[in-house]
Amino acid sequence: MNVAVLTGIAFVLVLGVMAGAARPRRVSGVLVAARGVPPWWNGAAISSEFTSAAACLGTAGLIATHGSPMLWYPTGAAAGFVVILALVVAPLRRSGTYTLPGFAEWRLRSARLRRLTTCCVLVVGLAFMVAQLHAAGVVVRLLTGLPPWLGWAAVAAAALAVAVGGGLGSVTSVQAAQFWLKLIVFLGVGIVCWWLAEEGAVAWFEGAYRGGGAGLAGAGDPSLPGVLAVLLACALGTMGLPHVIMRVHTDRDGHAARRSMVATQAMLAAFCVVPPLYGLMGHARLRGAAADEIVLLLPARLFPGATGEVLTGLLAAGAFAAFLATAAGVLAAVGGALSARASRAGARSFRAAVVAVLAAALGLTAVTAPGASVALVLLGLSLSAATFCPLLVLGIWWRRLTDAGAAAGIVLGGGSTAVLVIGEQTGVRMGALTSCPAPVAVPVAFATMVLVSLATPGRTPRDVGRMMARMHLPEHLAGPLTYRSSHRDDR
Amino acid sequence: MNATPGAAPDAGSDPAPGLAPDPGPDPAPGPAPDPALSPTSGPAPGSVRDGVPGDPVAALVGRQIRQALRTVGAVAALLAGPPVLAMWVPDPRAWVVLSLVVQGVWVGLAVLQLRRAERMER
């Protein structure tokens, strides 16, 4: 099996790095996404970064091991993009800020708030990075028998080359190509397995909820309240993912940004067949395996021999495309947010930030044990739902939001998420709804932001009317006062 | 200018509890919030350009947030509805089909929201 798998993995990594590094290295292109990417292309890039290890391997594995309630997870993940389209995308694009800390500082005129949001971006980004690295390690160990750190190193090196070599502009082209690769590989291999497998390859599990143990951040909780809590975290957390937000600014204007979200939605809908497909087959054949391993073990289990090996090699290539896409996207986005926070931003501080984030992610991966990738991704989504979701929604639509209110909301929302997750991990049970922290933390964050803002009316930025006009007036109606190039200090 | 601050706190706090089993008090929790909208989206787009009294930006923001909340309400209903309904349907095939159908509905909902939001800005 080794030859096919290693060939597939190497092919994807080399292709990704070549496509990424072949782009021109203009300084402006490093951070500022190449403007005017067509919506379909950008939509593919967003889908590519979003369909990470969790979507490709983890969800299918959870369906196979935890049964029917997990079927709803992919619908929640895709619902987040409808919410982004409705509430966030066009005003955010028109604001001209392209990182979350940048938005917070511009909208509320507070450098402290920028630092606070930068910390949150870092935590969310690291959760995603560690999930990808662990999954890469699991795949390498499982399929080749080599030590897992080789998988981490391969993904980290390729992501570093893509992010540093080309910046966000080139990441777009790499991502878009990788999405199509992933879609074709996972869908194609899944359908081949489905058709060619003999009787008994598919087990229809019972359609029922039940009580049961939840993993980190409520992942895999098969009870109805647990599933709904996870869906809430997914639907509201997607808007705060740094790599998704950064992509919005690859679009030419607010209209194009909306259209690329619709394109993303259509592509995710095509991809959503993958988890149930593998989940049902895995449920029949591989019930005892770990969640992230099921998809990759399936072809060899169904077809012993050469066919299985080739299919496994293809899946390994697809999986590495997923790890690389998400890792490079998160790396570029978090590095951009961090370096813009430094006083003299530029290509050099961007690269330094990227290296620092990657080192931190590798360190965290080394000291933690590999768990289910879905759990780490869900942790990032829950934190994002409790901090960035209220910041973006209230910042865009409510002119009375103040910096004090936003900071208090982020601290309380993020704090209650941390308390609930740590409490759950240390064995403190606080009821079914707290297995995933979002149903508690999100209302707390919203209420705090509104109440503290109302209590500090003097801190509303003076030119909030101009900001609202800039965010909400469409480009063709906006005057010269509301032009929308990016901020200099964001660069 | 006064319409916005009144409407927005709901805007923020609504989607959060709205995803709990009951879809919340949004105006149109169903998947088809059609008829209410077409009259409000059309009128006087020129007012944004002319700067008529009453702050055109606030008026546009008010219209957009009402449309956005309709969509978010529909998302809340469609996100929480199928998992709850599935409790009474033990056939797993129905669960799989339902979860795939919801994905298709998201695409439709996104296209609808795109069209409406763009029409308001014309």
Side-chain angles (χ1 to χ4, degrees), chain A residues 24 43 66 83 157 173 200 238 243 272 316 340 427 460 471:
Chain A
H66 290 64
V83 179
S173 58
T238 310
H243 45 299
C272 74
T460 315
M471 285 192 289

Side-chain angles (χ1 to χ4, degrees), chain A residues 68-69 71-72 74-76 78-79 82-83 85-87 94 204-205 207-209 224 228 231-232 235-236 255 258-259 262 265-266 269 272-273 276 280 393-394 397-400 442-443 446 450 468-469 472-474 476-477, chain B residues 1 4-5 8-9 11-13 15-16 19 21 48-49 55 57-58 60-61 64-65 68 71-72 75 79-80 82-84 86-87 89-90 92-93 95-96 98-100 102-103 106-107 109-111 113-114 117-118 121-122:
Chain A
S68 49
L71 284 170
W72 306 115
T75 67
V82 189
V83 179
L85 173 69
L87 287 172
R94 287 170 182 153
W204 293 95
F205 31 61
Y209 298 102
L224 180 61
L228 291 178
L231 293 186
L232 176 72
L236 296 182
H255 286 281
R258 281 203 192 105
R259 283 166 187 273
V262 175
Q265 202 81 57
C272 74
V273 185
L280 288 172
V393 171
L394 293 179
W397 298 103
W398 192 40
R399 55 175 71 206
R400 284 204 259 171
V442 174
F446 267 111
V450 170
M468 294 300 271
H472 291 284
L473 280 187
H476 64 279
L477 296 180
Chain B
M1 189 177 284
T4 337
S13 44
L19 290 183
V48 173
R49 200 185 319 246
D55 194 353
V57 176
L60 178 69
V61 171
Q64 290 279 20
I65 187 67
T71 302
V72 172
V75 170
L79 197 58
V84 173
M87 278 210 307
V89 188
R93 283 155 225 252
W95 287 48
V96 174
L98 206 54
S99 73
L100 296 182
V102 171
Q103 297 274 4
W106 294 148
V107 180
L109 204 57
V111 171
Q113 165 70 24
L114 173 77
E118 287 194 342
E121 290 177 351
R122 213 163 284 154

